[in-house]
Amino acid sequence: MSHKITDHKKQITFLLALSMLGSSASAQGTVKVGVLHSLTGTMSISEITVANAAQLAIDQINAAGGVMGKKIEVVKEDGASDWPTFATKAEKLLTQDKVVTVFGGWTSASRKAMLPVFEKNKGLLFYPVQFEGNECSPNIIYTGAQPNQQALPALEWALSKGYKNIFLLGSDYVYPRTANLILKKHIAAKGAKLAGEEYVALGGTEFSSVINKIKAAKPQIIINTLNGDSNVSFFKQYQAAGYSATTLPVISFSIAEQEAQSIGPALLTGQYATWNYFQSLPNPTNKKFVAAYQAKYGKNAAITDPMAHAYMDVYLWKAAVEKAKSFEPSAVRKAIVGISMDSPLGKITVAANGSLTQAVYTGQSGAGGQFKVIGQSKGVVTPQPYDALTFPGKSCP
Amino acid sequence: MNRVAQPILLVVTAGALLLAPFYLSAYGLTLLGRVLALSIAAIGICVVWGRGGILSLGQGLFFGLGGYSLAMHLKLAATPKGELPDFMVYNGVEALPWFWVPFVNGPFALAMVVILPTLAAAAVAWLMFRRRITGVYISIITQALVLAFVTWLNGSQGLTSGTNGITDFHTLLGIDLRGEHIARNLYWCTLMVLGAALLSTAWLLRTHFGTLLTAIRDNENRVRFLGYHPAAYKIAAFALGGLLSGLSGALYTLHLGTISPAMIGVTFSIELVIWVALGGRNSLLGAVGGLVLGQLAKDKISSAVPDAWLYLMGTLFVVVVLVLPQGVAGLLERRKPAAPRRKTLGEVSDVVSP
Amino acid sequence: MSSHPEVLLEVQGVTVSFDGFKALQNLSLSVPRGSLRVLIGPNGAGKSTLLDTIIGKVRPVSGDVRYRGQSIITWPEHRIANLGICRKFQAPGVLDGLSVRENLRVAAKRTKGVWASLTRTTGRAETQRIAELLELINLTGKADQRADSLAHGEKQWLEIGMVVASDPELLLLDEPTAGMTAQETAKTAELIRSLSGRHTVLVIDHDMQFVELLDAPVTVLHQGQVFCEGDLASLRSNADVMEIYLGRPKDEGHHKGVGYAQT
Amino acid sequence: MDSVFLFGQLFTGLSVASLLLLTALGLALSFGLMRVINMAHGEFLMVGGYLTFLAAQAVGPGFLWLAFPLAFVGTALLGALLEATVIRRLYGRPLDTLLATWGISLILQQAARQIFGSTGVPVTAPPWLNGAVTIHGGPLDSLTFPYVRLFVIVLALVVLGGMWWLLNRTRFGMHVRAVNQNREVASILGVNTRRLDLLVFALGAGIAGIAGVGLAMLSPVNPTVGAAYIVNAFLVVVVGGVGSVLGAGAAALLLGFVTALAEGLTSSSLAQATLLILVVVFLQWKPRGLIPTQSRALEEG
């Protein structure tokens, strides 16, 4: 904070030239990292807890002696649910605060806005959320699921359960559009039927028309990529129209434990979700993580896939720094490939393209808002940023 | 503020701005450059609202047209020959949409930065003023238009990249946008455009055209029955506002390296207006100053105390309207001795005179 | 028809309807070139509506307005104004945000297009003329003051000045002396009289002292129609006119002058 | 479109129109009477929704008896407060009311965010509203009318009827109409216009509060819910003709049906964009709206 104030003064008085900027990367045995999430605005509900998870990992590392003998100093910035703000704040973190890495971002739009900033300033970003793939910047470590680590396994699961007539419903932005483009190709390739495809503006709450269209299309299952509050409206209006998990199941990619709590578990009971992580995973690392998080942020706090990824990202970065013996982003990027560790998600490995090799689970929502794991990928799944069927010939360099 | 202090202050400010790259930090410079780019749109609002009395809540539309015109070219320039922009591929688009095709040409795109917003503004104005739609109707219609534009952008991802917006640019007319001195040069370039926009608008408002604009704002019927065609003047002013917004949008896109629907929507458009109101809707320098200082304050305060920021901003809206209808510039003007009343800071025409 | 042979303005059988209420009913009127004509009538008689119709602000449901023999009923307002018809409104229609001088300059400009407004400068002749007008309306000392800082009477004068500055062939003056002192009223009457001849002037007013000073033929409107015409003296002795003004039986109003009937 | 789908969409249109109408009625009143552009009107809807949520928290499933009076009175009081502190000072400056009330809407949204969080709070409709009327057999087989949506439609009809009665059959309504026609004359004739403005503004806010109850049955209540409705509600007022309650009703129906049919034919984003453009085109044809109010006071507006 004090740093911020001195800087502010400098800027408006136009007086001190370069003098105060000596506050560079590693003064006094600390190393600065940025945490950049939406602390305000519509995305804050999801992102604050992700920032909390990253903070928890940083606190744990600091308590255990830091990274290469240096304590981690966090510079927290607010992306304010506004994509250009993410770009601005990323630039501030890299050029003014001189952080060595940034943990942050949720929406694809925020990541796309930050990408040029990280490339220009040769920074490093850890991005913890599932996304549409089709991107592999050397300056970003994508730890959330690639499409082949969430969407496709979900489709396979649905087909294996005999759901052959599929309706695709999503919010109107890049992730649902791309995920559904890929799903459509695979639905056709597998000989299943596409009942229909609908998109509702982000934050949209009126589903009457959509439900009429679903009714006319008579699907067996809905693959749902709606985001945020739209889910609540959708499930309410779906229920009012007489549907339930037994008559028309819905499998979702953006509903985790936290969203389930806010939607109201009653509306969701029996519905499905696919993720790389559920709070109920029984591995010991996860048990420890859940206990530590709930000790710090409340014993009923829900823990989700992106939170688990964000927590693990800090440890991944630490491992890479120690392997590279340097905080320098390009060295860290180089060192991180091949690192493997036990995480709350189970065993993960960083692939050459900067994404994780990780397992995929399908869960069914129970009464308490927790998901019971009912399906699991055979072993871990290698990340494929470009779906071979949909984007033939494309791959990461 | 007397007549001696004012020019001195102007010269000092201009000098400080010109030399900013030599004493500001890299981040400070990008921030300032970005805000200066935005302030060009404020000049447009000053003309259209302050002088013309037309409150447009849809300046984001023209800002967006300017920004997207440039961004489309930058995106095509960053895409290997024979390929489609990445987002089109991910949306299953198989051929370059027709309206993208001419934007391959750099000079064409640069011309469109100016022409497209100007034409769009003129067309919107023609539709409204032809039917003598006035006052709050205009605010509501322009707001609806910018919402329609943003909704269309969001809903047509294959054509526009949707909510993500267009990003990841590399070169403009062969200049590497990630090069060494680009920040500094872009800053100066922005400052030049801003200066040129200020001077030419100030000149314009000193002509009979400026007088008539005020006359129409105050009493449109009187002017009409003196034989003028008020709609023509209002269309011209609105088109000028569109042009300036478009320029601002293009420069802002260059500074930020991205343009997206979230940057140009209803909230953005209203925020522009309130900064102008704070600075003084009748004063060019007031409008620009209000926007620049407001945005800088926003950057600082919103990261220091994010929650308080919205309260502060909301309160500011109310207070400015209740207490300072002519903005800070109006406040400075009021302090001056009343008569004999020469032209003052509040009156645009005098502000940039040598 | 008066002694002037040439008719400048001819209103032919005009009917104007507001939501079924007939503000003007089949009204006809002709104004010879160079004449001075006064219109009186009680509130709601249709005086202002008639002027509105002439300048194109109100469109009639039937009838025609001809100016120099040409029908202007469908013309846009600004083109009608450019023919040389200029109106002074009832409430002072000055341009508040401009200085007195600028008000006159706006009115005096010959070219009214957007492009011309950017390129034309104010010539010496125009400056000279505006100085004369300022003198005429007694506002030389306040030439650089904003119009909204003027007193009510001064605003009236300014607007008259603007109407004169635009040098119209036909002046339509709607209650030009409202809010003026007796002295100012007399001066206004003098000014208007001096304008007739070169200009054609149609005045609406209530103030009978003022009408008297104008010393011109008077037309009485009633319920949207021409009730009668004549000089003021003959109208004062007309019992029917008394009745429409006062709404009383003819014999009661005789001893009072029409002038007292102002509301 | 087959007939079941078509009728389904017509019903959707009716349902969309109901909420639009409830939101727009208050706007039409205050805009018509005072030329006030209240950008914070959407936040009255939001407050109504949150009050419904609180009522549901307090008394459980049978909360509607409490929710209606609470939402109506709560938002009406908020409206009165706003009128007395800010809007009153801005009469005759419609563009300034627009900016000031936008500021107020920011404050209210942020307050809601801090009290209730930025995700929506869910309100579970009472059990008797669960389920739907479904047609069996015949050409419209399996056409469904959810009770919740029927409830909102009835709510809109009741409020519209009540408004009509209030404006046309009561002394209060006579005063409102008088002021609407000519403020000065009405005030000379002894109408306390200040008090009337306050009452009308509060009434409009209260109706938005009731709309909030209806909304809470269909979607979660979150801080931006008002912002999502405000532009369309303004369009209803403009298309209907400023200050006309009947016009607002007709416009809400028109907009509702156009939205539903456009959504039937294309995606919801394109439907919304199309609707907005259609409104602008409509205003070319009828700049004063469907049912224009003929009053001299409007000329200057």
Side-chain angles (χ1 to χ4, degrees), chain A residues 254-263 265 268 273 275 277-281 301-307 368-372:
Chain A
S254 299
I255 297 178
E257 290 79 355
Q258 196 179 335
E259 289 76 15
Q261 269 185 6
S262 77
I263 293 172
L268 272 186
W275 290 103
Y277 170 89
F278 286 107
Q279 189 177 338
S280 60
L281 286 185
I303 294 161
T304 64
D305 174 291
M307 289 163 68
Q370 286 294 321
F371 286 84
K372 193 175 128 213

Short mmCIF file of all heavy atoms in Angstrom, two decimals, chain A residues 254-263 265 268 273 275 277-281 301-307 368-372:
data_model
loop_
_atom_site.label_atom_id
_atom_site.label_comp_id
_atom_site.label_asym_id
_atom_site.label_seq_id
_atom_site.Cartn_x
_atom_site.Cartn_y
_atom_site.Cartn_z
N SER A 254 -19.93 -25.79 -16.11
CA SER A 254 -19.58 -24.58 -15.35
C SER A 254 -20.25 -24.58 -13.99
O SER A 254 -20.30 -23.55 -13.33
CB SER A 254 -19.98 -23.33 -16.12
OG SER A 254 -19.29 -23.27 -17.34
N ILE A 255 -20.81 -25.70 -13.59
CA ILE A 255 -21.43 -25.76 -12.27
C ILE A 255 -20.59 -26.65 -11.37
O ILE A 255 -20.48 -27.85 -11.60
CB ILE A 255 -22.87 -26.31 -12.35
CG1 ILE A 255 -23.71 -25.35 -13.19
CG2 ILE A 255 -23.46 -26.46 -10.96
CD1 ILE A 255 -25.14 -25.81 -13.38
N ALA A 256 -19.96 -26.01 -10.40
CA ALA A 256 -19.18 -26.76 -9.42
C ALA A 256 -19.85 -26.59 -8.07
O ALA A 256 -20.96 -26.07 -7.99
CB ALA A 256 -17.75 -26.24 -9.40
N GLU A 257 -19.17 -27.00 -7.00
CA GLU A 257 -19.77 -27.02 -5.67
C GLU A 257 -20.32 -25.65 -5.27
O GLU A 257 -21.40 -25.54 -4.71
CB GLU A 257 -18.74 -27.49 -4.63
CG GLU A 257 -18.38 -28.97 -4.74
CD GLU A 257 -17.38 -29.26 -5.85
OE1 GLU A 257 -17.02 -28.34 -6.62
OE2 GLU A 257 -16.95 -30.42 -5.98
N GLN A 258 -19.55 -24.62 -5.56
CA GLN A 258 -19.96 -23.28 -5.15
C GLN A 258 -21.22 -22.83 -5.88
O GLN A 258 -22.16 -22.30 -5.29
CB GLN A 258 -18.81 -22.33 -5.45
CG GLN A 258 -18.92 -21.02 -4.75
CD GLN A 258 -17.73 -20.15 -5.09
OE1 GLN A 258 -16.66 -20.64 -5.43
NE2 GLN A 258 -17.93 -18.86 -4.99
N GLU A 259 -21.24 -23.05 -7.19
CA GLU A 259 -22.41 -22.69 -7.99
C GLU A 259 -23.62 -23.51 -7.54
O GLU A 259 -24.73 -23.00 -7.45
CB GLU A 259 -22.15 -22.91 -9.48
CG GLU A 259 -21.18 -21.91 -10.12
CD GLU A 259 -19.74 -22.18 -9.78
OE1 GLU A 259 -19.42 -23.29 -9.29
OE2 GLU A 259 -18.90 -21.28 -9.97
N ALA A 260 -23.38 -24.80 -7.24
CA ALA A 260 -24.48 -25.66 -6.79
C ALA A 260 -25.11 -25.09 -5.53
O ALA A 260 -26.33 -25.07 -5.38
CB ALA A 260 -23.96 -27.07 -6.54
N GLN A 261 -24.25 -24.59 -4.63
CA GLN A 261 -24.78 -23.99 -3.40
C GLN A 261 -25.65 -22.78 -3.71
O GLN A 261 -26.71 -22.60 -3.13
CB GLN A 261 -23.64 -23.56 -2.48
CG GLN A 261 -23.24 -24.65 -1.52
CD GLN A 261 -22.19 -24.15 -0.55
OE1 GLN A 261 -21.83 -22.97 -0.52
NE2 GLN A 261 -21.68 -25.08 0.25
N SER A 262 -25.21 -21.94 -4.63
CA SER A 262 -25.97 -20.72 -4.86
C SER A 262 -27.20 -20.97 -5.74
O SER A 262 -28.19 -20.25 -5.64
CB SER A 262 -25.08 -19.62 -5.43
OG SER A 262 -24.85 -19.86 -6.79
N ILE A 263 -27.15 -21.97 -6.58
CA ILE A 263 -28.35 -22.29 -7.36
C ILE A 263 -29.42 -22.87 -6.44
O ILE A 263 -30.60 -22.70 -6.64
CB ILE A 263 -28.02 -23.30 -8.50
CG1 ILE A 263 -27.12 -22.64 -9.54
CG2 ILE A 263 -29.29 -23.81 -9.17
CD1 ILE A 263 -26.60 -23.58 -10.59
N PRO A 265 -29.33 -26.49 -3.98
CA PRO A 265 -29.13 -27.92 -4.29
C PRO A 265 -30.42 -28.60 -4.73
O PRO A 265 -30.40 -29.51 -5.56
CB PRO A 265 -28.63 -28.50 -2.96
CG PRO A 265 -28.03 -27.33 -2.24
CD PRO A 265 -28.82 -26.13 -2.66
N LEU A 268 -30.93 -28.80 -8.35
CA LEU A 268 -29.89 -29.49 -9.11
C LEU A 268 -29.81 -30.98 -8.84
O LEU A 268 -29.08 -31.70 -9.53
CB LEU A 268 -28.53 -28.89 -8.75
CG LEU A 268 -28.05 -27.69 -9.55
CD1 LEU A 268 -26.63 -27.36 -9.13
CD2 LEU A 268 -28.07 -27.99 -11.04
N ALA A 273 -22.17 -33.14 -13.59
CA ALA A 273 -21.13 -32.18 -13.96
C ALA A 273 -19.85 -32.94 -14.25
O ALA A 273 -19.64 -34.04 -13.72
CB ALA A 273 -20.90 -31.19 -12.83
N TRP A 275 -15.62 -32.47 -14.34
CA TRP A 275 -14.48 -31.62 -13.93
C TRP A 275 -13.24 -32.48 -13.74
O TRP A 275 -13.31 -33.71 -13.75
CB TRP A 275 -14.77 -30.93 -12.59
CG TRP A 275 -15.81 -29.85 -12.59
CD1 TRP A 275 -17.09 -29.98 -12.11
CD2 TRP A 275 -15.68 -28.50 -13.02
NE1 TRP A 275 -17.74 -28.78 -12.23
CE2 TRP A 275 -16.92 -27.85 -12.78
CE3 TRP A 275 -14.64 -27.76 -13.58
CZ2 TRP A 275 -17.14 -26.51 -13.08
CZ3 TRP A 275 -14.85 -26.43 -13.88
CH2 TRP A 275 -16.08 -25.82 -13.64
N TYR A 277 -11.73 -32.04 -10.94
CA TYR A 277 -11.64 -32.04 -9.48
C TYR A 277 -13.03 -31.91 -8.89
O TYR A 277 -13.86 -31.15 -9.41
CB TYR A 277 -10.79 -30.85 -9.02
CG TYR A 277 -10.82 -30.61 -7.52
CD1 TYR A 277 -9.90 -31.24 -6.68
CD2 TYR A 277 -11.76 -29.77 -6.95
CE1 TYR A 277 -9.95 -31.03 -5.30
CE2 TYR A 277 -11.81 -29.55 -5.58
CZ TYR A 277 -10.90 -30.20 -4.76
OH TYR A 277 -10.94 -29.99 -3.41
N PHE A 278 -13.32 -32.67 -7.86
CA PHE A 278 -14.48 -32.42 -7.02
C PHE A 278 -14.00 -32.36 -5.57
O PHE A 278 -13.05 -33.03 -5.20
CB PHE A 278 -15.53 -33.54 -7.17
CG PHE A 278 -16.29 -33.46 -8.47
CD1 PHE A 278 -16.05 -34.38 -9.49
CD2 PHE A 278 -17.24 -32.47 -8.68
CE1 PHE A 278 -16.74 -34.30 -10.69
CE2 PHE A 278 -17.94 -32.40 -9.88
CZ PHE A 278 -17.68 -33.32 -10.89
N GLN A 279 -14.71 -31.58 -4.79
CA GLN A 279 -14.33 -31.44 -3.39
C GLN A 279 -14.31 -32.80 -2.68
O GLN A 279 -13.56 -33.02 -1.75
CB GLN A 279 -15.31 -30.50 -2.69
CG GLN A 279 -14.89 -30.11 -1.28
CD GLN A 279 -15.85 -29.12 -0.64
OE1 GLN A 279 -16.58 -28.43 -1.35
NE2 GLN A 279 -15.87 -29.05 0.67
N SER A 280 -15.15 -33.72 -3.18
CA SER A 280 -15.29 -35.01 -2.51
C SER A 280 -14.18 -36.01 -2.87
O SER A 280 -14.20 -37.14 -2.40
CB SER A 280 -16.65 -35.62 -2.87
OG SER A 280 -16.75 -35.79 -4.27
N LEU A 281 -13.21 -35.59 -3.72
CA LEU A 281 -12.14 -36.54 -4.09
C LEU A 281 -11.44 -37.02 -2.82
O LEU A 281 -11.09 -36.22 -1.95
CB LEU A 281 -11.13 -35.89 -5.02
CG LEU A 281 -11.55 -35.65 -6.48
CD1 LEU A 281 -10.37 -35.10 -7.28
CD2 LEU A 281 -12.07 -36.93 -7.11
N ALA A 301 -17.14 -23.59 3.61
CA ALA A 301 -16.74 -23.05 2.30
C ALA A 301 -16.70 -24.16 1.26
O ALA A 301 -16.13 -25.23 1.50
CB ALA A 301 -15.38 -22.37 2.42
N ALA A 302 -17.31 -23.93 0.11
CA ALA A 302 -17.29 -24.90 -0.98
C ALA A 302 -15.99 -24.74 -1.74
O ALA A 302 -15.47 -23.64 -1.88
CB ALA A 302 -18.48 -24.69 -1.89
N ILE A 303 -15.48 -25.86 -2.24
CA ILE A 303 -14.22 -25.81 -2.97
C ILE A 303 -14.42 -26.40 -4.35
O ILE A 303 -15.04 -27.45 -4.51
CB ILE A 303 -13.12 -26.55 -2.18
CG1 ILE A 303 -12.88 -25.77 -0.89
CG2 ILE A 303 -11.84 -26.63 -2.99
CD1 ILE A 303 -12.21 -26.55 0.17
N THR A 304 -13.91 -25.66 -5.34
CA THR A 304 -14.22 -26.02 -6.72
C THR A 304 -12.97 -26.34 -7.52
O THR A 304 -11.84 -26.09 -7.07
CB THR A 304 -14.92 -24.84 -7.42
OG1 THR A 304 -14.00 -23.76 -7.47
CG2 THR A 304 -16.17 -24.41 -6.66
N ASP A 305 -13.19 -26.83 -8.70
CA ASP A 305 -12.10 -27.18 -9.62
C ASP A 305 -11.13 -26.02 -9.87
O ASP A 305 -9.93 -26.16 -9.67
CB ASP A 305 -12.74 -27.71 -10.91
CG ASP A 305 -11.74 -27.97 -12.00
OD1 ASP A 305 -11.18 -27.00 -12.53
OD2 ASP A 305 -11.51 -29.14 -12.34
N PRO A 306 -11.64 -24.82 -10.27
CA PRO A 306 -10.67 -23.73 -10.50
C PRO A 306 -9.90 -23.35 -9.24
O PRO A 306 -8.72 -22.97 -9.33
CB PRO A 306 -11.56 -22.58 -10.97
CG PRO A 306 -12.78 -23.23 -11.51
CD PRO A 306 -13.00 -24.43 -10.65
N MET A 307 -10.53 -23.46 -8.06
CA MET A 307 -9.81 -23.16 -6.82
C MET A 307 -8.68 -24.16 -6.60
O MET A 307 -7.56 -23.78 -6.26
CB MET A 307 -10.78 -23.20 -5.63
CG MET A 307 -11.74 -22.04 -5.60
SD MET A 307 -13.14 -22.37 -4.50
CE MET A 307 -12.33 -22.36 -2.92
N GLY A 368 -26.74 -32.12 -0.68
CA GLY A 368 -25.99 -31.08 0.03
C GLY A 368 -25.21 -30.14 -0.86
O GLY A 368 -24.46 -29.31 -0.37
N GLY A 369 -25.36 -30.28 -2.17
CA GLY A 369 -24.61 -29.42 -3.08
C GLY A 369 -23.24 -30.00 -3.40
O GLY A 369 -22.45 -29.41 -4.11
N GLN A 370 -22.94 -31.20 -2.85
CA GLN A 370 -21.69 -31.86 -3.19
C GLN A 370 -21.94 -32.82 -4.35
O GLN A 370 -23.08 -33.25 -4.58
CB GLN A 370 -21.17 -32.63 -1.98
CG GLN A 370 -20.57 -31.72 -0.90
CD GLN A 370 -19.31 -31.02 -1.38
OE1 GLN A 370 -18.48 -31.60 -2.09
NE2 GLN A 370 -19.16 -29.75 -0.99
N PHE A 371 -20.86 -33.13 -5.08
CA PHE A 371 -21.00 -34.06 -6.20
C PHE A 371 -20.40 -35.41 -5.83
O PHE A 371 -19.32 -35.49 -5.25
CB PHE A 371 -20.30 -33.51 -7.44
CG PHE A 371 -21.04 -32.37 -8.09
CD1 PHE A 371 -20.87 -31.07 -7.62
CD2 PHE A 371 -21.92 -32.59 -9.13
CE1 PHE A 371 -21.56 -30.01 -8.21
CE2 PHE A 371 -22.59 -31.54 -9.73
CZ PHE A 371 -22.41 -30.25 -9.27
N LYS A 372 -21.12 -36.46 -6.17
CA LYS A 372 -20.61 -37.81 -5.97
C LYS A 372 -19.99 -38.26 -7.28
O LYS A 372 -20.62 -38.16 -8.34
CB LYS A 372 -21.79 -38.72 -5.59
CG LYS A 372 -21.37 -40.07 -5.06
CD LYS A 372 -22.60 -40.85 -4.61
CE LYS A 372 -22.58 -42.22 -5.26
NZ LYS A 372 -23.89 -42.74 -5.57
#
